[in-house]
Amino acid sequence: MSQVTLEGFPERVRIVDVGPRDGLQAWPVPVSTDVKIEMINGLIAAGVPQLEVTSFVAPRAVPNMADAAEVMAAIDRSRGAELTALVPNARGAARAIEAGVDAMVVFLSASESHNQANVNCARDVSLAAAAEIARMGQEAGVAVYGAIATAFGCPFEGDVPVTDILHVAKAYADNGITKITLGDTTGMATPRLVQERCRALATEVPQADVALHFHNTRGVGLACAYAGLMEGITRYEASVAGIGGCPFAPGATGNACTEDLVYMLHESGVETGIDLDALIEVARRTEAALGERLPGQVMKAGPRLRQYRRDEVRSSSGSRA
Amino acid sequence: MSQVTLEGFPERVRIVDVGPRDGLQAWPVPVSTDVKIEMINGLIAAGVPQLEVTSFVAPRAVPNMADAAEVMAAIDRSRGAELTALVPNARGAARAIEAGVDAMVVFLSASESHNQANVNCARDVSLAAAAEIARMGQEAGVAVYGAIATAFGCPFEGDVPVTDILHVAKAYADNGITKITLGDTTGMATPRLVQERCRALATEVPQADVALHFHNTRGVGLACAYAGLMEGITRYEASVAGIGGCPFAPGATGNACTEDLVYMLHESGVETGIDLDALIEVARRTEAALGERLPGQVMKAGPRLRQYRRDEVRSSSGSRA
């Protein structure tokens, strides 16, 4: 990128594609292991530096993640992309370590009722599990990162006080987990909340290295990323083609779309190390493989400077402004 | 709005809904006059202060705008919403004045080849028409605004130099047309271009009162609005439910969605005077009337603080981060 970076934005950002995990975990029909592997290796070939490739949860609870070890074993590791996996408990951590992940992601919800609904236990119990997984990771030489779900709002409780985010972040940090993702689980993040929460964390938990994970459920996924960029945050999780829905709003969009975010970053002079054209091809192949229209926009419209002949225009309506 | 406005954003923004014109002009099937009138009056009842309600173009060229006068006659004017209409030439201007519009919007493309494709004449010819319409408006006591299409890029030529935008804006201003919209005709705007063009206009054509009109074709419509807000721009055109496609990219999204933009503004403490819940209802009714899934997100997901009971969750996957 030879362009000057947009005022206030960082010069470089690390993109984490969570499509293989967050996008596919609740996909309504089974997704074959081959499709997952092709997607993941395509993302790696396109230069995505970090991927959340699967989840070591109980196969009965999340059938689409039952092939976690099989997926891990087939990933192209020659390019050094960092592979992370979600782990809910010690049992999952043991499987993840065995499968050779680069990092395990522990998670809990900032709101009590969402944690109960999601993993059927209190936040404190989840925190104790995270501490145990942190110890297991340390012993095995595997990094452990922490995700905070419902960090911008809870579908059961509404607004989530920033103090709850700080509480969880501090507890993570006390256990040596300093790479912390704020997860916009059901699309309740807004630019203002992003600004408020990033600033509070910078002040109150300065050892936290914050990543942001937005959903586009209410259309403002990239606007929230914009707010995060203005706060100097340099790690963003998104999902190729925007795969993933929202269990609370059937028909609504889920994860922010990776290639749309990368498009915005590149056009703002922010480096990602990703080949956008190759990424768009992965998005298109993923849409074809899943057989369902996905939310990504750039993959439909193509590159910004794509040029047309006049006879390619669908209609010359005489009044396009 | 009792919340403090997001740092750098203006405190109040004027929303112009262009759905009835830009959204419907190229709708692939005929849209009944009743549907248009219900949409327009719904938007006015929701508090939208300005609407581009139709286009006085040749009915043969744009069949869906053939009922321009009929639509105008049926609009609820008791609330004082400002009604504008697109006019391509003196003939259209005469019809618009006769129909009682509050303002006429003249337009031309910043790029020569798009102007040729769109209205089949050179930019200079379009500028001369704009000057004539400006005189007609002055005589009739009807305001005239100017739109600059392809202000952020041209589907035939690629990048459009900022000097071309300044040239058109100056020509408009020389004819007394100072309310000027930069139109992102085919979704090529980026935050950086928004910043660059707004700043150039502020310096070079200080008499211009700039409005921004974005398309979400590449997913960055609201990110571009964010950039415009940071530049202090206070008028934004968008389309209810995100109606309107892109003639160059079948399947891609067209206009930025009004209610998603209003949601972002309200959540950022920016006043619009619009009742978001009522606006969402108009979007939903519009989708039902047109019988096609529309791109708006907030209308699918509902208000941010919509709360759910635990038994409403589609699936508790045990791994939602």
mmCIF file with all atom_site columns, all heavy atoms in Angstrom, chain A residues 4 62 117 188 192 218 253 297 302 304 316-317, chain B residues 4 62 117 152 188 192 218 253 297 302 304 316-317:
data_model
loop_
_atom_site.group_PDB
_atom_site.id
_atom_site.type_symbol
_atom_site.label_atom_id
_atom_site.label_alt_id
_atom_site.label_comp_id
_atom_site.label_asym_id
_atom_site.label_entity_id
_atom_site.label_seq_id
_atom_site.pdbx_PDB_ins_code
_atom_site.Cartn_x
_atom_site.Cartn_y
_atom_site.Cartn_z
_atom_site.occupancy
_atom_site.B_iso_or_equiv
_atom_site.pdbx_formal_charge
_atom_site.auth_seq_id
_atom_site.auth_comp_id
_atom_site.auth_asym_id
_atom_site.auth_atom_id
_atom_site.pdbx_PDB_model_num
ATOM 1   N N   . VAL A 1 4   ? -1.066  7.039   1.648   1.00 0.00 ? 4   VAL A N   1
ATOM 2   C CA  . VAL A 1 4   ? -0.992  7.489   3.031   1.00 0.00 ? 4   VAL A CA  1
ATOM 3   C C   . VAL A 1 4   ? -2.210  6.944   3.784   1.00 0.00 ? 4   VAL A C   1
ATOM 4   O O   . VAL A 1 4   ? -3.303  6.869   3.246   1.00 0.00 ? 4   VAL A O   1
ATOM 5   C CB  . VAL A 1 4   ? -0.996  9.034   3.083   1.00 0.00 ? 4   VAL A CB  1
ATOM 6   C CG1 . VAL A 1 4   ? -0.976  9.522   4.509   1.00 0.00 ? 4   VAL A CG1 1
ATOM 7   C CG2 . VAL A 1 4   ? 0.191   9.581   2.298   1.00 0.00 ? 4   VAL A CG2 1
ATOM 8   N N   . VAL A 1 62  ? -22.549 -29.205 19.228  1.00 0.00 ? 62  VAL A N   1
ATOM 9   C CA  . VAL A 1 62  ? -22.301 -28.458 17.991  1.00 0.00 ? 62  VAL A CA  1
ATOM 10  C C   . VAL A 1 62  ? -21.815 -29.439 16.915  1.00 0.00 ? 62  VAL A C   1
ATOM 11  O O   . VAL A 1 62  ? -20.617 -29.577 16.672  1.00 0.00 ? 62  VAL A O   1
ATOM 12  C CB  . VAL A 1 62  ? -21.246 -27.351 18.209  1.00 0.00 ? 62  VAL A CB  1
ATOM 13  C CG1 . VAL A 1 62  ? -21.187 -26.428 16.990  1.00 0.00 ? 62  VAL A CG1 1
ATOM 14  C CG2 . VAL A 1 62  ? -21.526 -26.546 19.470  1.00 0.00 ? 62  VAL A CG2 1
ATOM 15  N N   . ALA A 1 117 ? -27.224 -19.174 29.386  1.00 0.00 ? 117 ALA A N   1
ATOM 16  C CA  . ALA A 1 117 ? -27.889 -19.711 28.201  1.00 0.00 ? 117 ALA A CA  1
ATOM 17  C C   . ALA A 1 117 ? -26.883 -20.367 27.264  1.00 0.00 ? 117 ALA A C   1
ATOM 18  O O   . ALA A 1 117 ? -27.170 -21.378 26.619  1.00 0.00 ? 117 ALA A O   1
ATOM 19  C CB  . ALA A 1 117 ? -28.627 -18.586 27.463  1.00 0.00 ? 117 ALA A CB  1
ATOM 20  N N   . MET A 1 188 ? -25.030 -5.718  18.801  1.00 0.00 ? 188 MET A N   1
ATOM 21  C CA  . MET A 1 188 ? -25.487 -4.565  19.586  1.00 0.00 ? 188 MET A CA  1
ATOM 22  C C   . MET A 1 188 ? -24.410 -3.492  19.730  1.00 0.00 ? 188 MET A C   1
ATOM 23  O O   . MET A 1 188 ? -24.621 -2.486  20.410  1.00 0.00 ? 188 MET A O   1
ATOM 24  C CB  . MET A 1 188 ? -25.968 -5.038  20.964  1.00 0.00 ? 188 MET A CB  1
ATOM 25  C CG  . MET A 1 188 ? -27.206 -5.933  20.872  1.00 0.00 ? 188 MET A CG  1
ATOM 26  S SD  . MET A 1 188 ? -27.684 -6.698  22.454  1.00 0.00 ? 188 MET A SD  1
ATOM 27  C CE  . MET A 1 188 ? -28.338 -5.287  23.347  1.00 0.00 ? 188 MET A CE  1
ATOM 28  N N   . ARG A 1 192 ? -20.167 4.470   19.449  1.00 0.00 ? 192 ARG A N   1
ATOM 29  C CA  . ARG A 1 192 ? -19.964 5.089   20.755  1.00 0.00 ? 192 ARG A CA  1
ATOM 30  C C   . ARG A 1 192 ? -19.525 4.070   21.811  1.00 0.00 ? 192 ARG A C   1
ATOM 31  O O   . ARG A 1 192 ? -18.618 4.322   22.607  1.00 0.00 ? 192 ARG A O   1
ATOM 32  C CB  . ARG A 1 192 ? -21.261 5.758   21.211  1.00 0.00 ? 192 ARG A CB  1
ATOM 33  C CG  . ARG A 1 192 ? -21.090 6.507   22.528  1.00 0.00 ? 192 ARG A CG  1
ATOM 34  C CD  . ARG A 1 192 ? -22.352 6.463   23.343  1.00 0.00 ? 192 ARG A CD  1
ATOM 35  N NE  . ARG A 1 192 ? -23.439 7.089   22.647  1.00 0.00 ? 192 ARG A NE  1
ATOM 36  C CZ  . ARG A 1 192 ? -23.674 8.399   22.678  1.00 0.00 ? 192 ARG A CZ  1
ATOM 37  N NH1 . ARG A 1 192 ? -22.874 9.189   23.339  1.00 0.00 ? 192 ARG A NH1 1
ATOM 38  N NH2 . ARG A 1 192 ? -24.704 8.909   22.046  1.00 0.00 ? 192 ARG A NH2 1
ATOM 39  N N   . ARG A 1 218 ? -27.107 -5.181  12.573  1.00 0.00 ? 218 ARG A N   1
ATOM 40  C CA  . ARG A 1 218 ? -27.857 -3.927  12.413  1.00 0.00 ? 218 ARG A CA  1
ATOM 41  C C   . ARG A 1 218 ? -27.157 -2.970  11.429  1.00 0.00 ? 218 ARG A C   1
ATOM 42  O O   . ARG A 1 218 ? -27.339 -1.762  11.472  1.00 0.00 ? 218 ARG A O   1
ATOM 43  C CB  . ARG A 1 218 ? -28.089 -3.276  13.780  1.00 0.00 ? 218 ARG A CB  1
ATOM 44  C CG  . ARG A 1 218 ? -29.107 -4.081  14.603  1.00 0.00 ? 218 ARG A CG  1
ATOM 45  C CD  . ARG A 1 218 ? -29.401 -3.522  15.971  1.00 0.00 ? 218 ARG A CD  1
ATOM 46  N NE  . ARG A 1 218 ? -30.504 -4.245  16.590  1.00 0.00 ? 218 ARG A NE  1
ATOM 47  C CZ  . ARG A 1 218 ? -30.365 -5.371  17.297  1.00 0.00 ? 218 ARG A CZ  1
ATOM 48  N NH1 . ARG A 1 218 ? -29.170 -5.895  17.481  1.00 0.00 ? 218 ARG A NH1 1
ATOM 49  N NH2 . ARG A 1 218 ? -31.417 -5.966  17.807  1.00 0.00 ? 218 ARG A NH2 1
ATOM 50  N N   . THR A 1 253 ? -28.114 -10.569 9.362   1.00 0.00 ? 253 THR A N   1
ATOM 51  C CA  . THR A 1 253 ? -26.722 -10.860 9.082   1.00 0.00 ? 253 THR A CA  1
ATOM 52  C C   . THR A 1 253 ? -25.987 -11.175 10.381  1.00 0.00 ? 253 THR A C   1
ATOM 53  O O   . THR A 1 253 ? -26.333 -10.642 11.430  1.00 0.00 ? 253 THR A O   1
ATOM 54  C CB  . THR A 1 253 ? -26.094 -9.621  8.427   1.00 0.00 ? 253 THR A CB  1
ATOM 55  O OG1 . THR A 1 253 ? -26.849 -9.312  7.271   1.00 0.00 ? 253 THR A OG1 1
ATOM 56  C CG2 . THR A 1 253 ? -24.657 -9.857  8.024   1.00 0.00 ? 253 THR A CG2 1
ATOM 57  N N   . GLN A 1 297 ? -20.527 -8.042  0.298   1.00 0.00 ? 297 GLN A N   1
ATOM 58  C CA  . GLN A 1 297 ? -20.900 -7.134  -0.792  1.00 0.00 ? 297 GLN A CA  1
ATOM 59  C C   . GLN A 1 297 ? -19.815 -7.051  -1.865  1.00 0.00 ? 297 GLN A C   1
ATOM 60  O O   . GLN A 1 297 ? -20.106 -7.079  -3.049  1.00 0.00 ? 297 GLN A O   1
ATOM 61  C CB  . GLN A 1 297 ? -21.166 -5.724  -0.223  1.00 0.00 ? 297 GLN A CB  1
ATOM 62  C CG  . GLN A 1 297 ? -22.412 -5.651  0.636   1.00 0.00 ? 297 GLN A CG  1
ATOM 63  C CD  . GLN A 1 297 ? -23.682 -5.879  -0.151  1.00 0.00 ? 297 GLN A CD  1
ATOM 64  O OE1 . GLN A 1 297 ? -23.857 -5.349  -1.221  1.00 0.00 ? 297 GLN A OE1 1
ATOM 65  N NE2 . GLN A 1 297 ? -24.558 -6.700  0.373   1.00 0.00 ? 297 GLN A NE2 1
ATOM 66  N N   . GLY A 1 302 ? -17.400 -6.727  -6.986  1.00 0.00 ? 302 GLY A N   1
ATOM 67  C CA  . GLY A 1 302 ? -16.050 -6.766  -7.555  1.00 0.00 ? 302 GLY A CA  1
ATOM 68  C C   . GLY A 1 302 ? -15.220 -5.579  -7.114  1.00 0.00 ? 302 GLY A C   1
ATOM 69  O O   . GLY A 1 302 ? -15.684 -4.717  -6.368  1.00 0.00 ? 302 GLY A O   1
ATOM 70  N N   . ARG A 1 304 ? -13.127 -2.109  -6.748  1.00 0.00 ? 304 ARG A N   1
ATOM 71  C CA  . ARG A 1 304 ? -13.624 -0.740  -6.904  1.00 0.00 ? 304 ARG A CA  1
ATOM 72  C C   . ARG A 1 304 ? -13.408 -0.195  -8.314  1.00 0.00 ? 304 ARG A C   1
ATOM 73  O O   . ARG A 1 304 ? -14.282 0.469   -8.870  1.00 0.00 ? 304 ARG A O   1
ATOM 74  C CB  . ARG A 1 304 ? -12.903 0.165   -5.887  1.00 0.00 ? 304 ARG A CB  1
ATOM 75  C CG  . ARG A 1 304 ? -13.369 1.572   -5.931  1.00 0.00 ? 304 ARG A CG  1
ATOM 76  C CD  . ARG A 1 304 ? -12.787 2.464   -4.863  1.00 0.00 ? 304 ARG A CD  1
ATOM 77  N NE  . ARG A 1 304 ? -13.117 3.804   -5.287  1.00 0.00 ? 304 ARG A NE  1
ATOM 78  C CZ  . ARG A 1 304 ? -12.324 4.546   -6.059  1.00 0.00 ? 304 ARG A CZ  1
ATOM 79  N NH1 . ARG A 1 304 ? -11.149 4.120   -6.408  1.00 0.00 ? 304 ARG A NH1 1
ATOM 80  N NH2 . ARG A 1 304 ? -12.738 5.732   -6.458  1.00 0.00 ? 304 ARG A NH2 1
ATOM 81  N N   . SER A 1 316 ? -30.025 1.917   -18.902 1.00 0.00 ? 316 SER A N   1
ATOM 82  C CA  . SER A 1 316 ? -29.622 3.311   -18.871 1.00 0.00 ? 316 SER A CA  1
ATOM 83  C C   . SER A 1 316 ? -30.907 4.088   -18.666 1.00 0.00 ? 316 SER A C   1
ATOM 84  O O   . SER A 1 316 ? -31.640 4.374   -19.591 1.00 0.00 ? 316 SER A O   1
ATOM 85  C CB  . SER A 1 316 ? -28.955 3.682   -20.193 1.00 0.00 ? 316 SER A CB  1
ATOM 86  O OG  . SER A 1 316 ? -28.655 5.056   -20.178 1.00 0.00 ? 316 SER A OG  1
ATOM 87  N N   . SER A 1 317 ? -31.181 4.374   -17.397 1.00 0.00 ? 317 SER A N   1
ATOM 88  C CA  . SER A 1 317 ? -32.515 4.862   -17.061 1.00 0.00 ? 317 SER A CA  1
ATOM 89  C C   . SER A 1 317 ? -32.680 6.337   -17.340 1.00 0.00 ? 317 SER A C   1
ATOM 90  O O   . SER A 1 317 ? -33.763 6.871   -17.260 1.00 0.00 ? 317 SER A O   1
ATOM 91  C CB  . SER A 1 317 ? -32.776 4.619   -15.590 1.00 0.00 ? 317 SER A CB  1
ATOM 92  O OG  . SER A 1 317 ? -31.908 5.421   -14.831 1.00 0.00 ? 317 SER A OG  1
ATOM 93  N N   . VAL B 1 4   ? -24.644 12.485  24.825  1.00 0.00 ? 4   VAL B N   1
ATOM 94  C CA  . VAL B 1 4   ? -23.630 13.348  24.229  1.00 0.00 ? 4   VAL B CA  1
ATOM 95  C C   . VAL B 1 4   ? -23.295 12.803  22.834  1.00 0.00 ? 4   VAL B C   1
ATOM 96  O O   . VAL B 1 4   ? -23.250 11.599  22.612  1.00 0.00 ? 4   VAL B O   1
ATOM 97  C CB  . VAL B 1 4   ? -22.362 13.350  25.117  1.00 0.00 ? 4   VAL B CB  1
ATOM 98  C CG1 . VAL B 1 4   ? -21.273 14.210  24.490  1.00 0.00 ? 4   VAL B CG1 1
ATOM 99  C CG2 . VAL B 1 4   ? -22.707 13.836  26.514  1.00 0.00 ? 4   VAL B CG2 1
ATOM 100 N N   . VAL B 1 62  ? -38.188 6.126   -18.289 1.00 0.00 ? 62  VAL B N   1
ATOM 101 C CA  . VAL B 1 62  ? -38.271 5.580   -16.930 1.00 0.00 ? 62  VAL B CA  1
ATOM 102 C C   . VAL B 1 62  ? -39.742 5.361   -16.577 1.00 0.00 ? 62  VAL B C   1
ATOM 103 O O   . VAL B 1 62  ? -40.368 6.192   -15.912 1.00 0.00 ? 62  VAL B O   1
ATOM 104 C CB  . VAL B 1 62  ? -37.621 6.539   -15.899 1.00 0.00 ? 62  VAL B CB  1
ATOM 105 C CG1 . VAL B 1 62  ? -37.470 5.837   -14.548 1.00 0.00 ? 62  VAL B CG1 1
ATOM 106 C CG2 . VAL B 1 62  ? -36.266 7.041   -16.384 1.00 0.00 ? 62  VAL B CG2 1
ATOM 107 N N   . ALA B 1 117 ? -23.569 8.158   -21.201 1.00 0.00 ? 117 ALA B N   1
ATOM 108 C CA  . ALA B 1 117 ? -24.359 6.930   -21.065 1.00 0.00 ? 117 ALA B CA  1
ATOM 109 C C   . ALA B 1 117 ? -25.684 7.197   -20.366 1.00 0.00 ? 117 ALA B C   1
ATOM 110 O O   . ALA B 1 117 ? -26.710 6.593   -20.674 1.00 0.00 ? 117 ALA B O   1
ATOM 111 C CB  . ALA B 1 117 ? -23.562 5.885   -20.287 1.00 0.00 ? 117 ALA B CB  1
ATOM 112 N N   . PHE B 1 152 ? -17.401 9.864   -6.901  1.00 0.00 ? 152 PHE B N   1
ATOM 113 C CA  . PHE B 1 152 ? -16.337 9.108   -6.227  1.00 0.00 ? 152 PHE B CA  1
ATOM 114 C C   . PHE B 1 152 ? -15.736 8.033   -7.143  1.00 0.00 ? 152 PHE B C   1
ATOM 115 O O   . PHE B 1 152 ? -14.968 7.188   -6.689  1.00 0.00 ? 152 PHE B O   1
ATOM 116 C CB  . PHE B 1 152 ? -16.871 8.467   -4.949  1.00 0.00 ? 152 PHE B CB  1
ATOM 117 C CG  . PHE B 1 152 ? -17.406 9.466   -3.964  1.00 0.00 ? 152 PHE B CG  1
ATOM 118 C CD1 . PHE B 1 152 ? -18.766 9.769   -3.902  1.00 0.00 ? 152 PHE B CD1 1
ATOM 119 C CD2 . PHE B 1 152 ? -16.540 10.143  -3.112  1.00 0.00 ? 152 PHE B CD2 1
ATOM 120 C CE1 . PHE B 1 152 ? -19.256 10.708  -3.005  1.00 0.00 ? 152 PHE B CE1 1
ATOM 121 C CE2 . PHE B 1 152 ? -17.020 11.077  -2.216  1.00 0.00 ? 152 PHE B CE2 1
ATOM 122 C CZ  . PHE B 1 152 ? -18.377 11.368  -2.163  1.00 0.00 ? 152 PHE B CZ  1
ATOM 123 N N   . MET B 1 188 ? -18.558 3.452   -5.365  1.00 0.00 ? 188 MET B N   1
ATOM 124 C CA  . MET B 1 188 ? -17.095 3.523   -5.422  1.00 0.00 ? 188 MET B CA  1
ATOM 125 C C   . MET B 1 188 ? -16.514 4.459   -4.353  1.00 0.00 ? 188 MET B C   1
ATOM 126 O O   . MET B 1 188 ? -15.295 4.671   -4.302  1.00 0.00 ? 188 MET B O   1
ATOM 127 C CB  . MET B 1 188 ? -16.645 3.962   -6.824  1.00 0.00 ? 188 MET B CB  1
ATOM 128 C CG  . MET B 1 188 ? -17.007 2.927   -7.900  1.00 0.00 ? 188 MET B CG  1
ATOM 129 S SD  . MET B 1 188 ? -16.682 3.488   -9.607  1.00 0.00 ? 188 MET B SD  1
ATOM 130 C CE  . MET B 1 188 ? -14.884 3.440   -9.650  1.00 0.00 ? 188 MET B CE  1
ATOM 131 N N   . ARG B 1 192 ? -11.643 7.581   2.557   1.00 0.00 ? 192 ARG B N   1
ATOM 132 C CA  . ARG B 1 192 ? -10.575 8.506   2.183   1.00 0.00 ? 192 ARG B CA  1
ATOM 133 C C   . ARG B 1 192 ? -11.044 9.504   1.116   1.00 0.00 ? 192 ARG B C   1
ATOM 134 O O   . ARG B 1 192 ? -10.766 10.706  1.190   1.00 0.00 ? 192 ARG B O   1
ATOM 135 C CB  . ARG B 1 192 ? -9.388  7.720   1.647   1.00 0.00 ? 192 ARG B CB  1
ATOM 136 C CG  . ARG B 1 192 ? -8.197  8.608   1.323   1.00 0.00 ? 192 ARG B CG  1
ATOM 137 C CD  . ARG B 1 192 ? -7.429  8.061   0.164   1.00 0.00 ? 192 ARG B CD  1
ATOM 138 N NE  . ARG B 1 192 ? -6.862  6.776   0.450   1.00 0.00 ? 192 ARG B NE  1
ATOM 139 C CZ  . ARG B 1 192 ? -5.717  6.593   1.099   1.00 0.00 ? 192 ARG B CZ  1
ATOM 140 N NH1 . ARG B 1 192 ? -5.049  7.635   1.533   1.00 0.00 ? 192 ARG B NH1 1
ATOM 141 N NH2 . ARG B 1 192 ? -5.273  5.386   1.323   1.00 0.00 ? 192 ARG B NH2 1
ATOM 142 N N   . ARG B 1 218 ? -20.439 -1.903  -2.038  1.00 0.00 ? 218 ARG B N   1
ATOM 143 C CA  . ARG B 1 218 ? -19.255 -2.627  -1.556  1.00 0.00 ? 218 ARG B CA  1
ATOM 144 C C   . ARG B 1 218 ? -19.200 -2.645  -0.015  1.00 0.00 ? 218 ARG B C   1
ATOM 145 O O   . ARG B 1 218 ? -18.134 -2.813  0.574   1.00 0.00 ? 218 ARG B O   1
ATOM 146 C CB  . ARG B 1 218 ? -17.991 -2.025  -2.171  1.00 0.00 ? 218 ARG B CB  1
ATOM 147 C CG  . ARG B 1 218 ? -17.894 -2.337  -3.669  1.00 0.00 ? 218 ARG B CG  1
ATOM 148 C CD  . ARG B 1 218 ? -16.684 -1.774  -4.359  1.00 0.00 ? 218 ARG B CD  1
ATOM 149 N NE  . ARG B 1 218 ? -16.598 -2.279  -5.726  1.00 0.00 ? 218 ARG B NE  1
ATOM 150 C CZ  . ARG B 1 218 ? -17.224 -1.729  -6.780  1.00 0.00 ? 218 ARG B CZ  1
ATOM 151 N NH1 . ARG B 1 218 ? -17.974 -0.657  -6.617  1.00 0.00 ? 218 ARG B NH1 1
ATOM 152 N NH2 . ARG B 1 218 ? -17.090 -2.268  -7.972  1.00 0.00 ? 218 ARG B NH2 1
ATOM 153 N N   . THR B 1 253 ? -26.020 -4.509  -3.618  1.00 0.00 ? 253 THR B N   1
ATOM 154 C CA  . THR B 1 253 ? -26.859 -3.544  -2.937  1.00 0.00 ? 253 THR B CA  1
ATOM 155 C C   . THR B 1 253 ? -26.731 -2.180  -3.604  1.00 0.00 ? 253 THR B C   1
ATOM 156 O O   . THR B 1 253 ? -25.677 -1.851  -4.143  1.00 0.00 ? 253 THR B O   1
ATOM 157 C CB  . THR B 1 253 ? -26.390 -3.450  -1.481  1.00 0.00 ? 253 THR B CB  1
ATOM 158 O OG1 . THR B 1 253 ? -26.448 -4.754  -0.921  1.00 0.00 ? 253 THR B OG1 1
ATOM 159 C CG2 . THR B 1 253 ? -27.273 -2.530  -0.670  1.00 0.00 ? 253 THR B CG2 1
ATOM 160 N N   . GLN B 1 297 ? -30.914 -3.776  7.392   1.00 0.00 ? 297 GLN B N   1
ATOM 161 C CA  . GLN B 1 297 ? -30.580 -4.725  8.458   1.00 0.00 ? 297 GLN B CA  1
ATOM 162 C C   . GLN B 1 297 ? -31.393 -4.487  9.730   1.00 0.00 ? 297 GLN B C   1
ATOM 163 O O   . GLN B 1 297 ? -31.897 -5.429  10.334  1.00 0.00 ? 297 GLN B O   1
ATOM 164 C CB  . GLN B 1 297 ? -29.080 -4.618  8.783   1.00 0.00 ? 297 GLN B CB  1
ATOM 165 C CG  . GLN B 1 297 ? -28.179 -5.122  7.661   1.00 0.00 ? 297 GLN B CG  1
ATOM 166 C CD  . GLN B 1 297 ? -28.327 -6.606  7.427   1.00 0.00 ? 297 GLN B CD  1
ATOM 167 O OE1 . GLN B 1 297 ? -28.360 -7.397  8.348   1.00 0.00 ? 297 GLN B OE1 1
ATOM 168 N NE2 . GLN B 1 297 ? -28.433 -6.996  6.179   1.00 0.00 ? 297 GLN B NE2 1
ATOM 169 N N   . GLY B 1 302 ? -34.422 -5.552  14.394  1.00 0.00 ? 302 GLY B N   1
ATOM 170 C CA  . GLY B 1 302 ? -35.186 -4.806  15.394  1.00 0.00 ? 302 GLY B CA  1
ATOM 171 C C   . GLY B 1 302 ? -34.296 -3.898  16.215  1.00 0.00 ? 302 GLY B C   1
ATOM 172 O O   . GLY B 1 302 ? -33.078 -3.847  16.032  1.00 0.00 ? 302 GLY B O   1
ATOM 173 N N   . ARG B 1 304 ? -32.023 -2.049  19.037  1.00 0.00 ? 304 ARG B N   1
ATOM 174 C CA  . ARG B 1 304 ? -30.834 -2.566  19.708  1.00 0.00 ? 304 ARG B CA  1
ATOM 175 C C   . ARG B 1 304 ? -31.166 -3.237  21.044  1.00 0.00 ? 304 ARG B C   1
ATOM 176 O O   . ARG B 1 304 ? -30.610 -4.284  21.382  1.00 0.00 ? 304 ARG B O   1
ATOM 177 C CB  . ARG B 1 304 ? -29.854 -1.407  19.936  1.00 0.00 ? 304 ARG B CB  1
ATOM 178 C CG  . ARG B 1 304 ? -28.569 -1.854  20.556  1.00 0.00 ? 304 ARG B CG  1
ATOM 179 C CD  . ARG B 1 304 ? -27.524 -0.776  20.667  1.00 0.00 ? 304 ARG B CD  1
ATOM 180 N NE  . ARG B 1 304 ? -26.537 -1.305  21.586  1.00 0.00 ? 304 ARG B NE  1
ATOM 181 C CZ  . ARG B 1 304 ? -26.577 -1.118  22.898  1.00 0.00 ? 304 ARG B CZ  1
ATOM 182 N NH1 . ARG B 1 304 ? -27.492 -0.337  23.423  1.00 0.00 ? 304 ARG B NH1 1
ATOM 183 N NH2 . ARG B 1 304 ? -25.694 -1.704  23.670  1.00 0.00 ? 304 ARG B NH2 1
ATOM 184 N N   . SER B 1 316 ? -29.016 -22.949 21.194  1.00 0.00 ? 316 SER B N   1
ATOM 185 C CA  . SER B 1 316 ? -28.004 -22.617 22.177  1.00 0.00 ? 316 SER B CA  1
ATOM 186 C C   . SER B 1 316 ? -26.836 -23.528 21.879  1.00 0.00 ? 316 SER B C   1
ATOM 187 O O   . SER B 1 316 ? -26.801 -24.685 22.279  1.00 0.00 ? 316 SER B O   1
ATOM 188 C CB  . SER B 1 316 ? -28.546 -22.847 23.582  1.00 0.00 ? 316 SER B CB  1
ATOM 189 O OG  . SER B 1 316 ? -27.528 -22.624 24.523  1.00 0.00 ? 316 SER B OG  1
ATOM 190 N N   . SER B 1 317 ? -25.904 -23.017 21.091  1.00 0.00 ? 317 SER B N   1
ATOM 191 C CA  . SER B 1 317 ? -24.887 -23.889 20.508  1.00 0.00 ? 317 SER B CA  1
ATOM 192 C C   . SER B 1 317 ? -23.769 -24.212 21.479  1.00 0.00 ? 317 SER B C   1
ATOM 193 O O   . SER B 1 317 ? -22.917 -25.028 21.201  1.00 0.00 ? 317 SER B O   1
ATOM 194 C CB  . SER B 1 317 ? -24.288 -23.217 19.290  1.00 0.00 ? 317 SER B CB  1
ATOM 195 O OG  . SER B 1 317 ? -23.575 -22.080 19.712  1.00 0.00 ? 317 SER B OG  1
#
